[in-house]
């Protein structure tokens, strides 16, 4: 998925791959950076610095964003990245729960390819980024559900295979209730299975996810170089695609 959507760099030493770094363009003004990895036995040798220099050269003229571990934060700070937020990683075997009841006028249905322009518009309103190619790739790999209120799309969520089980994300919705309905639908569809959801800390979903069998297991620091994208709303991002793509 990430290779198909982006491009990157490989560090080679003595004929062996010892590091990687990738970037993804969103429009002409922004890039997300990720998959910045150095082999454990090669860490401390300046490979991470070389990879970051290469990424900044490749994305010159764009603002950049990434999600860092605490170990990676000092390196990114040296290159001018500043902390702007936190992402919480929740995962575990989902409890057997019922989907949340829908209010009058609400419907929950499977998205189709014809929905892509509407989903992309909602996602851009929530992130400030044009990510239609990302959503198209996700629809090919998983399934998206749409919550409508009186025929108007109020949110969507993608459920796809990932790692040890399943991942729910992205989730973009106009309010907290819509986001919870969409996430709960995904959890109810996979009782007892391993599910991961990465949520921006301001969503306040952490405790709610923990009650449904998905405790917080890690966190990441959202860092920006230049002006971060500005979401125009009213939709908000309640769960990420992943920590590379945001």
């Amino acid at each position: 998925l990430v290779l198909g959507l982006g491009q990157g760099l490989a560090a080679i030493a003595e004929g062996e791959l010892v590091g990687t770094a990738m970037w993804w363009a969103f429009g002409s003004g922004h890039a997300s950076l990720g998959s910045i990895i150095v082999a454990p036995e090669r860490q401390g040798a300046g490979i991470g610095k070389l990879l970051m220099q290469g990424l900044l050269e490749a994305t010159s003229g764009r603002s950049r964003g990434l999600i860092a571990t605490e170990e990676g934060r000092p390196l990114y700070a040296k290159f001018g990245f500043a902390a702007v937020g936190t992402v919480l990683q929740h995962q575990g075997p989902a409890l057997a729960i019922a989907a949340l009841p829908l209010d009058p006028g609400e419907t929950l249905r499977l998205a189709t390819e014809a929905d892509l322009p509407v989903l992309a518009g909602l996602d851009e309103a929530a992130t400030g980024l044009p990510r239609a190619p990302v959503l198209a790739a996700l629809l090919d790999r998983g399934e998206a559900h749409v919550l409508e209120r009186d025929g108007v799309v109020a949110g969507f969520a993608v459920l796809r295979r990932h790692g040890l089980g399943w991942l729910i994300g992205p989730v973009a919705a106009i309010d907290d209730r819509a986001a919870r309905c969409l996430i709960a639908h995904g959890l109810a569809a996979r009782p007892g299975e391993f599910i991961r959801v990465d949520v921006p800390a301001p969503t306040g979903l952490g405790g709610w996810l923990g009650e449904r069998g998905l405790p917080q297991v890690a966190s990441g620091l959202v860092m920006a170089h230049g002006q971060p994208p500005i979401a125009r709303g009213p939709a908000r991002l309640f769960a990420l695609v992943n920590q590379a793509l945001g």
Side-chain angles (χ1 to χ4, degrees):
L1 174 66
V2 295
L3 283 172
L5 292 168
Q7 53 193 304
L9 305 167
I12 309 296
E14 300 170 356
E16 294 185 359
L17 178 68
V18 297
T20 63
M22 294 194 66
W23 67 279
W24 300 269
F26 295 117
S28 60
H30 184 74
S32 289
L33 315 183
S35 296
I36 304 166
I37 307 168
V38 176
E41 67 275 12
R42 296 283 185 166
Q43 292 177 8
I47 295 172
K49 180 180 178 181
L50 289 173
L51 289 168
M52 282 301 300
Q53 289 172 337
L55 286 179
L56 294 182
E57 290 173 4
T59 58
S60 177
R62 299 173 181 267
S63 61
R64 297 99 163 180
L66 58 81
I67 296 178
T69 61
E70 276 300 324
E71 293 78 10
R73 178 178 183 171
L75 172 65
Y76 306 135
K78 289 179 181 178
F79 282 94
F81 283 81
V84 294
T86 304
V87 167
L88 308 178
Q89 179 180 334
H90 287 261
Q91 63 188 41
L95 298 179
I97 63 169
L100 298 182
L102 299 180
D103 285 343
E106 290 185 334
T107 58
L108 191 61
R109 62 172 177 82
L110 195 64
T112 69
E113 187 176 347
D115 291 306
L116 183 57
V118 174
L119 303 190
L122 196 67
D123 182 81
E124 185 168 355
T127 65
L129 296 172
R131 304 199 302 178
V134 174
L135 296 177
L138 293 174
L139 287 178
D140 284 341
R141 289 164 172 79
E143 59 184 37
H145 282 85
V146 173
L147 179 71
E148 292 181 330
R149 290 175 179 160
D150 297 321
V152 178
V153 175
F156 75 92
V158 177
L159 174 69
R160 70 184 191 277
R161 281 285 186 183
H162 177 85
L164 298 174
W166 301 83
L167 185 143
I168 299 176
V171 178
I174 63 172
D175 56 36
D176 179 84
R177 173 182 155 69
R180 293 189 184 210
C181 282
L182 288 158
I183 294 172
H185 177 81
L187 297 177
R190 298 287 185 272
E193 298 194 49
F194 190 90
I195 296 181
R196 174 172 172 173
V197 188
D198 291 270
V199 298
T203 63
L205 290 176
W208 182 81
L209 288 169
E211 293 170 358
R212 282 148 184 82
L214 278 62
Q216 180 186 333
V217 298
S219 64
L221 193 66
V222 182
M223 303 189 77
H225 188 287
Q227 176 63 48
I230 299 174
R232 67 176 187 270
R236 296 168 55 202
L237 187 69
F238 285 85
L240 278 61
V241 176
N242 57 30
Q243 291 196 20
L245 293 168

